[in-house]
Amino acid sequence: MDAPFPFGLPLPTAFYLTVYVVTLVLHVVFMNYVLAGTAALAAAYLRPGNRGTGESTAILKEWMPFMLSGAITAGVAPLLFLQILYKREYYTANLLLFNRWMAILPVLIFGFYALYLLKSRWLTRRTGCIAAAVAVVPILSVAFTGYSWTENHLLSVRSPAFWGEFYGTRAQVYHDPQLLPRLLVWAVGSVPTLVLVLAWQHWYRGTGRPASLARVAGTGLVLVTAATAWYYLATDDTTRQAFVSPLAAPYFAAACLGLLVQSVGWGWVSLSPALDGRKLLVPSLGLVLTVGGMTVCREAVRIAALGPERFESLFPGHAEAFGKGGLFVFLGFFAVNAALIVLVFWLVRHHSVTKPGPSHNPHGTPET
Ligand code: HEM
């Protein structure tokens, strides 16, 4: 493990870790959109006199059910690889949290239906208080799910001796000093991703105000830098060293460079009166660098927390799974599912009430 990720690892381990990281990045993009997006929706409805009107709110309302299903579906792929990579760790944490962990399923279903309710005509005929009450359900359910994943992850990297003690307490909630700062990094880190995807959605419609989008993205970037600094200070030496270890150092540098590229990119975007697709490519590149880099660093932190002996004891399991067949069946199902997702995307866009009309002009004057 003296080489940058994924070099220096046995082929099966390197393969599973790489596909795990790539698929997790996809999950993170959708998950960030729903985390920050449902918070923005709730804020819009909670503002006195505001019934969730406004161009950005309309886009969020329209697309949120699709994005939530995207986050859930895109979570399945890394979940499959996670089980091959860290089978015992993942399942032990799951079993220890038990009902608490399984609660994410009904909670997400509630959140999902509240999002559909938010789009319904029925809600427009209700009072502002009822609409606001419905609008807070999605963010509560999404935040609870995110919290559960972090809690489960932190418990999964504890030692078997700790798991034994935890089981003895019969507790179903795990608290860790890293929990709050880590959650904060996820929470505020979701803002720049949401703003970027939203900016592309606005660009497609020929709407959106570059300066205000850039302001929110910039605030998100400052907050995520501050939250990461708090996480760095609140964590232990093993975690701190993992970021600058040979395995992760180039990726950590890429993530920091990504923050810089995003900041410069948003500054450039804000100078135009209307959203410019070519300019938006700059913060997009920065975001890929930051999210990709941080996802590798996150894995390096887990590997460091497990320790070399425990991590290396997982290698034979990876080699065994790698030796099994089924790649073509997997690729076949992958193609079918990818086609279905594209179809659903097309259906949402086709039936969108906020889709651009015949006057659509991505480079035209903003409507907002
Ligand atoms: C839509 C609500 C969801 C939110 C807000 C969410 C949020 C998160 C967060 C914050 C993490 C990182 C935890 C950490 O590193 O501290 C995470 C990891 C992950 N999520 Fe999600 N998630 C959601 C739904 C799902 C679903 C439904 C699945 C599976 C079908 C899933 C699969 C995963 C996987 C596999 C990981 C990596 C876990 C690990 O490496 O330990 N997520 N998610």
Coordinates of all heavy atoms in Angstrom, one line a residue, residues 241-314:
Q241 N -3.5 10.8 9.0 CA -2.4 10.4 8.2 C -2.9 9.7 6.9 O -2.2 9.7 5.9 CB -1.5 9.4 9.0 CG -0.6 10.2 9.9 CD -0.1 9.4 11.1 OE1 -0.2 8.1 11.1 NE2 0.5 10.0 12.1
A242 N -4.1 9.1 6.9 CA -4.6 8.4 5.8 C -4.7 9.4 4.6 O -4.4 9.0 3.4 CB -6.0 7.8 6.1
F243 N -5.1 10.6 4.8 CA -5.2 11.6 3.7 C -3.9 11.9 3.0 O -3.9 12.1 1.8 CB -5.8 12.9 4.3 CG -7.3 12.9 4.5 CD1 -7.8 12.5 5.7 CD2 -8.1 13.2 3.5 CE1 -9.2 12.5 5.9 CE2 -9.5 13.2 3.7 CZ -10.0 12.8 4.9
V244 N -2.8 11.8 3.8 CA -1.5 12.1 3.1 C -0.7 10.9 2.9 O 0.5 11.0 2.6 CB -0.8 13.2 4.0 CG1 -1.4 14.6 3.9 CG2 -0.6 12.7 5.5
S245 N -1.3 9.7 3.1 CA -0.6 8.5 2.8 C -0.3 8.3 1.3 O -1.0 8.9 0.5 CB -1.4 7.3 3.3 OG -2.5 7.2 2.5
P246 N 0.7 7.5 0.9 CA 0.9 7.3 -0.5 C -0.3 6.9 -1.3 O -0.5 7.2 -2.4 CB 2.0 6.2 -0.6 CG 2.7 6.3 0.8 CD 1.6 6.7 1.7
L247 N -1.2 6.1 -0.6 CA -2.4 5.6 -1.2 C -3.3 6.7 -1.6 O -3.9 6.7 -2.7 CB -3.1 4.7 -0.2 CG -4.3 3.8 -0.7 CD1 -3.8 2.7 -1.6 CD2 -5.1 3.2 0.5
A248 N -3.5 7.7 -0.8 CA -4.5 8.8 -1.0 C -4.0 10.1 -1.4 O -4.7 11.0 -1.9 CB -5.4 8.9 0.2
A249 N -2.7 10.4 -1.1 CA -2.2 11.8 -1.2 C -2.5 12.4 -2.6 O -3.0 13.6 -2.7 CB -0.7 11.9 -1.0
P250 N -2.3 11.7 -3.7 CA -2.6 12.4 -5.0 C -4.1 12.7 -5.2 O -4.4 13.7 -5.8 CB -2.2 11.3 -6.1 CG -1.4 10.3 -5.4 CD -1.7 10.4 -3.9
Y251 N -4.9 11.9 -4.6 CA -6.4 12.1 -4.6 C -6.8 13.2 -3.7 O -7.7 14.0 -4.1 CB -7.1 10.8 -4.3 CG -6.9 9.7 -5.3 CD1 -5.8 8.8 -5.2 CD2 -7.7 9.6 -6.5 CE1 -5.6 7.9 -6.2 CE2 -7.4 8.7 -7.5 CZ -6.4 7.8 -7.3 OH -6.2 6.9 -8.3
F252 N -6.1 13.4 -2.6 CA -6.4 14.5 -1.7 C -6.0 15.8 -2.4 O -6.8 16.8 -2.4 CB -5.6 14.3 -0.4 CG -6.0 15.4 0.6 CD1 -7.3 15.7 0.9 CD2 -4.9 16.0 1.3 CE1 -7.6 16.7 1.9 CE2 -5.2 17.0 2.2 CZ -6.6 17.3 2.5
A253 N -4.9 15.8 -3.1 CA -4.4 16.9 -3.9 C -5.4 17.3 -5.0 O -5.8 18.4 -5.2 CB -3.0 16.7 -4.5
A254 N -6.0 16.2 -5.6 CA -6.9 16.4 -6.7 C -8.2 17.0 -6.1 O -8.8 17.9 -6.7 CB -7.2 15.1 -7.4
A255 N -8.6 16.5 -4.9 CA -9.9 17.1 -4.3 C -9.7 18.6 -4.0 O -10.6 19.4 -4.2 CB -10.2 16.3 -3.1
C256 N -8.5 18.9 -3.5 CA -8.3 20.3 -3.1 C -8.2 21.2 -4.4 O -8.8 22.3 -4.5 CB -6.9 20.5 -2.4 SG -7.0 19.7 -0.8
L257 N -7.5 20.6 -5.4 CA -7.5 21.4 -6.7 C -8.9 21.6 -7.2 O -9.3 22.6 -7.8 CB -6.6 20.6 -7.7 CG -6.5 21.1 -9.1 CD1 -5.7 22.4 -9.1 CD2 -5.9 20.1 -10.1
G258 N -9.7 20.5 -7.1 CA -11.1 20.6 -7.5 C -11.9 21.7 -6.8 O -12.7 22.4 -7.5
L259 N -11.6 22.0 -5.6 CA -12.3 23.1 -4.9 C -11.9 24.4 -5.5 O -12.7 25.3 -5.7 CB -11.8 23.1 -3.4 CG -12.5 22.1 -2.5 CD1 -11.9 22.2 -1.1 CD2 -14.0 22.2 -2.4
L260 N -10.6 24.5 -5.8 CA -10.1 25.7 -6.4 C -10.7 25.9 -7.8 O -11.2 27.0 -8.2 CB -8.5 25.6 -6.6 CG -7.8 26.9 -6.9 CD1 -7.9 27.9 -5.8 CD2 -6.3 26.6 -7.3
V261 N -10.7 24.9 -8.6 CA -11.3 24.9 -10.0 C -12.8 25.3 -9.9 O -13.3 26.2 -10.7 CB -11.1 23.6 -10.7 CG1 -11.8 23.6 -12.1 CG2 -9.6 23.3 -10.9
Q262 N -13.5 24.8 -8.9 CA -14.9 25.1 -8.8 C -15.1 26.6 -8.4 O -15.9 27.3 -9.0 CB -15.6 24.3 -7.6 CG -15.8 22.8 -8.0 CD -16.5 22.1 -6.9 OE1 -17.7 22.3 -6.7 NE2 -15.8 21.3 -6.2
S263 N -14.2 27.1 -7.5 CA -14.3 28.5 -7.1 C -14.1 29.4 -8.3 O -14.9 30.3 -8.5 CB -13.3 28.8 -6.0 OG -13.4 27.9 -5.0
V264 N -13.0 29.1 -9.0 CA -12.7 30.0 -10.1 C -13.8 29.9 -11.2 O -14.2 30.9 -11.7 CB -11.3 29.6 -10.7 CG1 -11.0 30.3 -12.0 CG2 -10.2 29.8 -9.7
G265 N -14.2 28.6 -11.4 CA -15.3 28.4 -12.4 C -16.6 29.2 -12.1 O -17.1 29.8 -13.0
W266 N -17.0 29.1 -10.8 CA -18.2 29.8 -10.5 C -18.0 31.3 -10.6 O -19.0 32.1 -11.0 CB -18.7 29.5 -9.1 CG -19.4 28.2 -9.0 CD1 -19.1 27.0 -8.4 CD2 -20.7 27.9 -9.6 NE1 -20.0 26.0 -8.6 CE2 -21.0 26.6 -9.4 CE3 -21.6 28.7 -10.4 CZ2 -22.2 26.0 -9.8 CZ3 -22.7 28.1 -10.9 CH2 -23.1 26.7 -10.6
G267 N -16.8 31.8 -10.3 CA -16.5 33.3 -10.4 C -16.7 33.6 -11.9 O -17.3 34.7 -12.2
W268 N -16.2 32.8 -12.8 CA -16.3 33.1 -14.2 C -17.8 33.0 -14.7 O -18.3 33.9 -15.4 CB -15.4 32.0 -15.0 CG -15.1 32.4 -16.4 CD1 -15.0 33.6 -16.9 CD2 -15.0 31.5 -17.4 NE1 -14.7 33.5 -18.2 CE2 -14.7 32.2 -18.6 CE3 -15.0 30.1 -17.6 CZ2 -14.4 31.6 -19.9 CZ3 -14.8 29.5 -18.8 CH2 -14.5 30.3 -19.9
V269 N -18.5 32.0 -14.2 CA -19.9 31.8 -14.6 C -20.7 33.0 -14.2 O -21.6 33.5 -14.9 CB -20.5 30.5 -13.9 CG1 -22.0 30.5 -14.0 CG2 -19.9 29.3 -14.5
S270 N -20.4 33.6 -13.0 CA -21.2 34.7 -12.5 C -21.1 36.0 -13.3 O -21.9 36.9 -13.1 CB -20.8 35.0 -11.0 OG -19.6 35.6 -11.0
L271 N -20.0 36.1 -14.1 CA -19.8 37.3 -14.9 C -20.8 37.4 -16.0 O -21.0 38.5 -16.6 CB -18.4 37.3 -15.4 CG -17.2 37.3 -14.4 CD1 -15.9 37.3 -15.0 CD2 -17.4 38.6 -13.5
S272 N -21.4 36.3 -16.5 CA -22.3 36.4 -17.6 C -23.7 36.7 -17.2 O -24.1 36.3 -16.1 CB -22.3 35.0 -18.3 OG -21.1 34.6 -18.6
P273 N -24.5 37.4 -18.0 CA -25.9 37.7 -17.7 C -26.8 36.5 -17.7 O -27.7 36.4 -17.0 CB -26.3 38.7 -18.7 CG -25.4 38.6 -19.8 CD -24.1 38.0 -19.3
A274 N -26.4 35.5 -18.6 CA -27.1 34.2 -18.7 C -26.2 33.1 -18.5 O -25.0 33.2 -18.8 CB -27.8 34.2 -20.0
L275 N -26.7 31.9 -18.1 CA -25.8 30.8 -17.9 C -25.2 30.3 -19.3 O -25.9 30.2 -20.3 CB -26.6 29.6 -17.3 CG -26.9 29.8 -15.8 CD1 -28.0 28.8 -15.4 CD2 -25.7 29.6 -15.0
D276 N -23.9 30.1 -19.2 CA -23.2 29.7 -20.4 C -22.7 28.3 -20.2 O -21.9 28.0 -19.3 CB -22.0 30.7 -20.6 CG -21.2 30.4 -21.8 OD1 -21.1 29.3 -22.2 OD2 -20.5 31.4 -22.3
G277 N -23.1 27.4 -21.1 CA -22.8 25.9 -20.9 C -21.3 25.7 -20.9 O -20.8 24.9 -20.2
R278 N -20.5 26.5 -21.8 CA -19.1 26.2 -21.8 C -18.4 26.6 -20.5 O -17.5 25.9 -20.0 CB -18.4 27.0 -23.0 CG -18.5 26.3 -24.3 CD -18.3 27.2 -25.4 NE -19.1 28.4 -25.2 CZ -19.1 29.5 -25.9 NH1 -18.2 29.6 -26.9 NH2 -19.9 30.5 -25.7
K279 N -18.9 27.7 -19.9 CA -18.3 28.1 -18.6 C -18.7 27.2 -17.5 O -17.9 26.9 -16.6 CB -18.9 29.5 -18.3 CG -18.3 30.6 -19.2 CD -18.7 32.0 -18.7 CE -18.1 33.1 -19.5 NZ -18.5 34.4 -19.0
L280 N -19.9 26.6 -17.6 CA -20.4 25.6 -16.6 C -19.5 24.4 -16.5 O -19.5 23.6 -15.5 CB -21.8 25.2 -16.8 CG -22.9 26.2 -16.1 CD1 -24.3 25.6 -16.5 CD2 -22.7 26.2 -14.6
L281 N -18.8 24.1 -17.7 CA -18.0 22.9 -17.7 C -16.8 23.0 -16.7 O -16.3 22.0 -16.2 CB -17.4 22.7 -19.1 CG -18.4 22.2 -20.2 CD1 -17.7 22.2 -21.5 CD2 -18.9 20.8 -19.8
V282 N -16.4 24.3 -16.4 CA -15.3 24.4 -15.4 C -15.6 24.0 -14.0 O -15.0 23.1 -13.5 CB -14.7 25.9 -15.5 CG1 -13.6 26.1 -14.5 CG2 -14.3 26.3 -16.9
P283 N -16.7 24.5 -13.4 CA -17.1 24.0 -12.1 C -17.4 22.5 -12.1 O -17.2 21.8 -11.2 CB -18.3 24.8 -11.6 CG -18.7 25.6 -12.8 CD -17.6 25.7 -13.7
S284 N -17.9 22.0 -13.3 CA -18.3 20.6 -13.4 C -17.0 19.7 -13.3 O -17.0 18.7 -12.6 CB -18.9 20.3 -14.8 OG -20.0 21.1 -14.9
L285 N -15.9 20.2 -14.0 CA -14.7 19.5 -13.9 C -14.1 19.5 -12.4 O -13.7 18.5 -11.9 CB -13.6 20.1 -14.8 CG -12.2 19.6 -14.7 CD1 -12.1 18.2 -15.2 CD2 -11.2 20.5 -15.4
G286 N -14.2 20.7 -11.8 CA -13.8 20.8 -10.4 C -14.6 19.9 -9.5 O -14.0 19.2 -8.6
L287 N -15.9 19.8 -9.7 CA -16.7 18.9 -8.9 C -16.3 17.4 -9.0 O -16.2 16.7 -8.0 CB -18.2 19.1 -9.2 CG -19.1 18.4 -8.2 CD1 -19.3 19.3 -7.0 CD2 -20.4 18.0 -8.8
V288 N -16.0 17.0 -10.3 CA -15.6 15.6 -10.5 C -14.3 15.4 -9.7 O -14.1 14.3 -9.1 CB -15.4 15.3 -12.0 CG1 -14.7 14.0 -12.3 CG2 -16.7 15.4 -12.7
L289 N -13.4 16.3 -9.8 CA -12.1 16.2 -9.1 C -12.3 16.1 -7.6 O -11.7 15.2 -6.9 CB -11.2 17.4 -9.4 CG -10.5 17.4 -10.7 CD1 -9.7 18.7 -10.9 CD2 -9.5 16.2 -10.9
T290 N -13.2 16.9 -7.0 CA -13.4 16.9 -5.6 C -14.1 15.7 -5.1 O -13.7 15.0 -4.2 CB -14.2 18.2 -5.2 OG1 -13.5 19.3 -5.6 CG2 -14.3 18.3 -3.7
V291 N -15.2 15.4 -5.8 CA -16.0 14.2 -5.3 C -15.2 12.9 -5.5 O -15.1 12.1 -4.6 CB -17.4 14.2 -6.0 CG1 -18.1 12.9 -5.6 CG2 -18.2 15.4 -5.6
G292 N -14.6 12.8 -6.7 CA -13.8 11.6 -7.0 C -12.6 11.5 -6.0 O -12.4 10.4 -5.4
G293 N -11.9 12.6 -5.8 CA -10.7 12.5 -4.9 C -11.1 12.2 -3.5 O -10.5 11.4 -2.8
M294 N -12.2 12.8 -3.0 CA -12.7 12.6 -1.6 C -13.2 11.2 -1.4 O -13.1 10.6 -0.3 CB -13.7 13.6 -1.2 CG -13.2 15.0 -0.9 SD -11.7 15.0 0.2 CE -12.5 14.7 1.8
T295 N -13.8 10.6 -2.5 CA -14.3 9.2 -2.3 C -13.1 8.3 -2.2 O -13.2 7.3 -1.4 CB -15.2 8.9 -3.6 OG1 -16.1 9.9 -3.7 CG2 -15.9 7.6 -3.3
V296 N -12.0 8.5 -2.9 CA -10.8 7.6 -2.7 C -10.3 7.9 -1.3 O -9.9 6.9 -0.6 CB -9.8 7.9 -3.8 CG1 -8.5 7.1 -3.5 CG2 -10.3 7.5 -5.1
C297 N -10.2 9.2 -0.8 CA -9.7 9.4 0.5 C -10.5 8.7 1.6 O -10.0 8.2 2.6 CB -9.7 10.9 0.8 SG -8.5 11.8 -0.2
R298 N -11.8 8.8 1.4 CA -12.7 8.1 2.3 C -12.4 6.6 2.4 O -12.4 6.0 3.5 CB -14.2 8.3 1.8 CG -15.2 7.6 2.6 CD -16.6 7.8 1.9 NE -17.6 7.1 2.7 CZ -18.0 5.8 2.5 NH1 -17.4 5.1 1.6 NH2 -18.9 5.3 3.3
E299 N -12.0 6.0 1.3 CA -11.7 4.6 1.3 C -10.3 4.4 2.0 O -10.2 3.4 2.8 CB -11.6 4.1 -0.1 CG -12.2 2.7 -0.3 CD -13.4 2.4 0.5 OE1 -14.3 3.2 0.5 OE2 -13.5 1.3 1.1
A300 N -9.4 5.3 1.8 CA -8.1 5.2 2.4 C -8.2 5.3 3.9 O -7.5 4.6 4.7 CB -7.2 6.3 1.9
V301 N -9.2 6.2 4.4 CA -9.5 6.3 5.8 C -10.0 5.0 6.4 O -9.6 4.5 7.5 CB -10.5 7.5 6.1 CG1 -11.0 7.4 7.5 CG2 -9.8 8.8 5.8
R302 N -10.9 4.3 5.7 CA -11.4 3.1 6.2 C -10.3 2.0 6.2 O -10.2 1.3 7.2 CB -12.5 2.6 5.2 CG -13.0 1.2 5.7 CD -14.1 0.5 4.9 NE -14.6 1.1 3.7 CZ -15.9 1.1 3.5 NH1 -16.8 0.6 4.3 NH2 -16.4 1.7 2.4
I303 N -9.5 1.9 5.2 CA -8.4 0.9 5.2 C -7.4 1.2 6.3 O -7.0 0.3 7.0 CB -7.7 1.0 3.8 CG1 -8.6 0.5 2.7 CG2 -6.4 0.2 3.8 CD1 -8.2 0.7 1.3
A304 N -7.1 2.5 6.6 CA -6.2 2.8 7.7 C -6.9 2.4 9.0 O -6.2 1.9 10.0 CB -5.9 4.3 7.7
A305 N -8.2 2.7 9.2 CA -8.9 2.4 10.4 C -8.9 0.9 10.7 O -8.8 0.4 11.8 CB -10.3 2.9 10.4
L306 N -9.1 0.1 9.6 CA -9.1 -1.4 9.8 C -7.7 -1.9 10.2 O -7.5 -2.9 10.9 CB -9.6 -2.1 8.5 CG -11.0 -1.9 8.1 CD1 -11.3 -2.6 6.8 CD2 -12.0 -2.4 9.2
G307 N -6.7 -1.2 9.6 CA -5.3 -1.6 9.9 C -4.9 -2.6 8.8 O -5.7 -3.4 8.3
P308 N -3.5 -2.7 8.5 CA -3.1 -3.5 7.4 C -3.4 -5.0 7.5 O -3.8 -5.7 6.6 CB -1.5 -3.3 7.4 CG -1.2 -2.4 8.5 CD -2.5 -1.9 9.1
E309 N -3.3 -5.5 8.8 CA -3.5 -7.0 9.0 C -5.0 -7.4 8.7 O -5.2 -8.3 7.9 CB -3.2 -7.3 10.4 CG -2.8 -8.7 10.7 CD -2.5 -8.9 12.1 OE1 -1.7 -8.2 12.7 OE2 -3.2 -9.8 12.7
R310 N -5.9 -6.6 9.2 CA -7.3 -6.9 9.0 C -7.7 -6.7 7.5 O -8.4 -7.5 7.0 CB -8.1 -5.9 9.9 CG -9.5 -6.5 10.2 CD -10.0 -5.7 11.4 NE -11.5 -5.6 11.4 CZ -12.2 -4.7 12.0 NH1 -11.5 -3.8 12.8 NH2 -13.5 -4.6 11.9
F311 N -7.1 -5.6 6.9 CA -7.5 -5.4 5.5 C -6.9 -6.5 4.6 O -7.7 -7.0 3.8 CB -6.9 -4.0 5.1 CG -7.2 -3.6 3.7 CD1 -8.5 -3.6 3.2 CD2 -6.1 -3.3 2.8 CE1 -8.7 -3.3 1.9 CE2 -6.4 -3.0 1.5 CZ -7.7 -3.0 1.0
E312 N -5.7 -6.9 4.9 CA -5.1 -7.9 4.1 C -5.8 -9.3 4.2 O -5.8 -10.1 3.3 CB -3.6 -8.0 4.3 CG -2.8 -6.9 3.6 CD -1.4 -6.7 4.1 OE1 -0.9 -7.6 4.7 OE2 -0.9 -5.5 4.0
S313 N -6.4 -9.5 5.4 CA -7.1 -10.8 5.6 C -8.3 -10.9 4.7 O -8.9 -12.0 4.6 CB -7.5 -10.9 7.1 OG -8.6 -10.1 7.4
L314 N -8.7 -9.7 4.1 CA -9.9 -9.8 3.3 C -9.5 -10.2 1.8 O -10.4 -10.5 1.0 CB -10.6 -8.4 3.2 CG -11.1 -7.8 4.5 CD1 -11.4 -6.3 4.4 CD2 -12.3 -8.5 5.0

